[in-house]
Amino acid sequence: MKSATASVPTRPAAGESKRISVLGATGSIGLSTLDLVGRHPDRFSIDALTAHTNVADLAKLAVQHGAARAVISDASLYDDLKAALRGTGIAVSAGPDALVEAAMGDADFVMAGIVGSAGLAPTMAAIRRGADVGLANKECLVCAGDIVMAEVARSGGHLLPVDSEHNAIFQVFDEARADSVARIVLTASGGPFRTWTRDAMASATPEAAVAHPNWSMGAKISVDSATMMNKGLEMIEAYHLFPVSPSQVDVLVHPQSVIHSMVEYIDGSTLAQLGSPDMRTPIASCLAWPERISAPSPKLDLAELGQLTFERPDESRFPALRLARHCLEAGSEAATVLNAANEIAVAAFLARRLGFLQIATVVELALETISGWSTTTLDDVFALDAEARRITADLIKTGKIAS
Ligand code: NAD
Ligand code: MG
């Protein structure tokens, strides 16, 4: 990896303008972040924007937001990005090392909006230099939670949870009295197949799986919501973000996605955060933290909604929840395998090479196949992640998976 000079940020005072970098600027989280940045030009300016392959959108966003630099992580697209930004004065770079360098610029706040463990290296680079990080990329914490959180503690930066459930908990969790917390309750919409039978799910198409009833999101997280692996990943994410034990992390299905999560205290008080299902609310709370800024998310009209409903999660129809619970208790190596196997299985499902129900089956098989690893460094995690990807791809290719 190329060496880059880290810039340690001094935090802007209240009301002062913040410099922002957005990793994954062209995605759903990236665009919502930039929408808010554009609404508050006096509060925010842009250092770096990154994307994987979408040169045209990246160039357009970089010009629109006056970015200092644009980074395309697919190195073969360097010339295209260079041509698209010629004459603008915006610096251009490409490849995985450039992605890490983008996270090491002079931004006060880095939005970790890349999907999957591909976001781990740049997110760690931002954490390491003590920047405040808005963490949307939950896969980082699932595959390397212990290492990431140790680095947050060492560097003194803040890891601000963007995921709506974790942002909700962050807003109502009394860190100073963590021993007064009985449990945290992550709410789940239940996804597009909440009421489907296993037989119906067996022939679910990618189009049906990505059609989330409440949230508009990227393809991978939408499929994760349909399998409910998303909630499983979020259980592991919550365990790392908050001082709780695995048995204190619960899931409750709440189809309207209005209560974004809850903290139950030992005296029986339950504190919740509510809002319309629009990611610009949790993103705004992270961008401005510890202050607040206005966001265009529709305001809640509870009288109009009339009813909020709740159900227990059904692990027999959604086995991903059981697998994630197992990994939460088994420890960090199992979670690394869970995440990598799931990324490969979801990509195969989206490419129509794997059935919907086989996503959880193949993840379970990968968990049974891989053992004996111990991950104490980031390089160990990258090695296990690569091994789990290789084995999962092999399991899918050989077609030995029954649904
Ligand atoms: P998305 O698919 O819409 O966008 C992903 C972004 O990452 C794009 O900018 C893409 O260019 C970039 N990217 C993809 N693969 C990459 C790679 N290999 N290397 C570098 N960059 C790459 O995804 P999204 O819905 O915005 O989700 C981003 C992250 O935020 C995910 O981890 C997701 O779980 C989390 N999250 C998303 C939402 C949401 O509402 N979309 C909510 C909560 C959490
Ligand atoms: Mg979420």
Side-chain angles (χ1 to χ4, degrees):
M1 190 180 289
K2 255 189 269 167
S3 73
T5 319
S7 164
V8 181
T10 39
R11 288 208 165 73
E16 245 176 47
S17 175
K18 278 187 198 174
R19 200 109 174 102
I20 310 285
S21 286
V22 185
L23 310 174
T26 53
S28 165
I29 290 290
L31 292 173
S32 293
T33 305
L34 290 173
D35 176 78
L36 287 162
V37 165
R39 288 169 194 271
H40 296 277
D42 50 325
R43 299 284 303 242
F44 306 115
S45 64
I46 294 292
D47 180 36
L49 297 182
T50 85
H52 193 40
T53 54
N54 191 339
V55 169
D57 283 4
L58 176 62
K60 196 175 87 194
L61 291 167
V63 171
Q64 190 184 336
H65 292 277
R69 57 175 134 173
V71 177
I72 194 89
S73 47
D74 180 337
S76 70
L77 297 169
Y78 174 77
D79 288 342
D80 294 353
L81 185 61
K82 187 95 190 144
L85 289 174
R86 187 161 296 132
T88 61
I90 299 171
V92 169
S93 54
D97 290 349
L99 206 57
V100 169
E101 281 169 30
M104 294 175 87
D106 70 354
D108 306 296
F109 179 103
V110 177
M111 174 56 78
I114 290 175
V115 59
S117 61
L120 180 55
T123 303
M124 273 299 272
I127 291 171
R128 212 172 265 145
R129 73 178 172 87
D132 288 350
V133 172
L135 189 79
N137 179 210
K138 66 192 79 184
E139 293 90 347
C140 279
L141 279 187
V142 177
C143 73
D146 293 336
I147 297 170
V148 170
M149 293 313 291
E151 198 55 34
V152 172
R154 194 203 57 76
S155 75
H158 297 111
L159 193 63
L160 302 162
V162 170
D163 214 348
S164 57
E165 298 76 5
H166 306 74
N167 186 267
I169 294 168
F170 182 73
Q171 294 195 41
V172 296
F173 195 105
D174 188 350
E175 285 275 347
R177 293 174 196 80
D179 57 357
S180 64
V181 170
R183 59 176 187 141
I184 57 181
V185 181
L186 300 172
T187 51
S189 69
F193 304 151
R194 178 176 61 88
T195 58
W196 288 32
T197 62
R198 293 273 296 169
D199 278 354
M201 281 189 248
S203 50
T205 60
E207 290 74 19
V210 299
H212 197 280
N214 304 344
W215 299 94
S216 157
M217 311 181 284
K220 194 260 177 183
I221 184 177
S222 298
V223 175
D224 285 346
S225 299
T227 58
M228 290 196 75
M229 181 62 87
N230 184 49
K231 212 48 55 181
L233 301 178
E234 289 182 354
M235 286 163 63
I236 301 171
E237 182 185 13
Y239 165 72
H240 288 293
L241 284 170
F242 305 105
V244 290
S245 63
S247 63
Q248 287 175 296
V249 182
D250 269 349
V251 171
L252 178 68
V253 175
H254 165 44
Q256 296 82 19
S257 301
V258 166
I259 295 181
H260 293 309
S261 277
M262 301 178 253
V263 177
E264 185 188 290
Y265 288 87
I266 50 177
D267 64 2
S269 303
T270 297
L271 270 57
Q273 184 262 0
L274 287 71
S276 57
D278 184 326
M279 285 307 292
R280 288 175 299 183
T281 294
I283 293 172
S285 108
C286 291
L287 277 175
W289 183 85
E291 298 168 51
R292 290 197 187 259
I293 51 169
S294 63
S297 328
K299 297 286 179 282
L300 266 188
D301 185 341
L302 289 173
E304 170 69 25
L305 271 165
Q307 274 195 328
L308 300 181
T309 60
F310 305 93
E311 300 161 16
R312 282 183 219 294
D314 180 352
E315 289 189 3
S316 59
R317 280 185 308 127
F318 297 99
L321 285 171
R322 170 178 57 78
L323 297 178
R325 166 74 66 193
H326 159 77
C327 293
L328 186 59
E329 275 146 19
S332 49
E333 290 78 13
T336 308
V337 173
L338 176 88
N339 182 66
N342 182 58
E343 285 193 36
I344 295 294
V346 169
F349 168 69
L350 286 169
R352 298 177 206 280
R353 288 187 288 105
L354 195 68
F356 180 77
L357 293 180
Q358 292 173 319
I359 297 173
T361 310
V362 80
V363 171
E364 184 157 21
L365 213 50
L367 283 165
E368 285 167 8
T369 309
I370 304 168
S371 63
W373 284 71
S374 160
T375 53
T376 50
T377 67
L378 214 49
D379 282 343
D380 296 339
V381 171
F382 287 131
L384 177 54
D385 177 81
E387 174 73 351
R389 284 165 189 273
R390 190 187 63 71
I391 285 176
T392 310
D394 227 46
L395 287 168
I396 294 170
K397 210 162 84 195
T398 53
K400 285 192 202 126
I401 309 133
S403 60

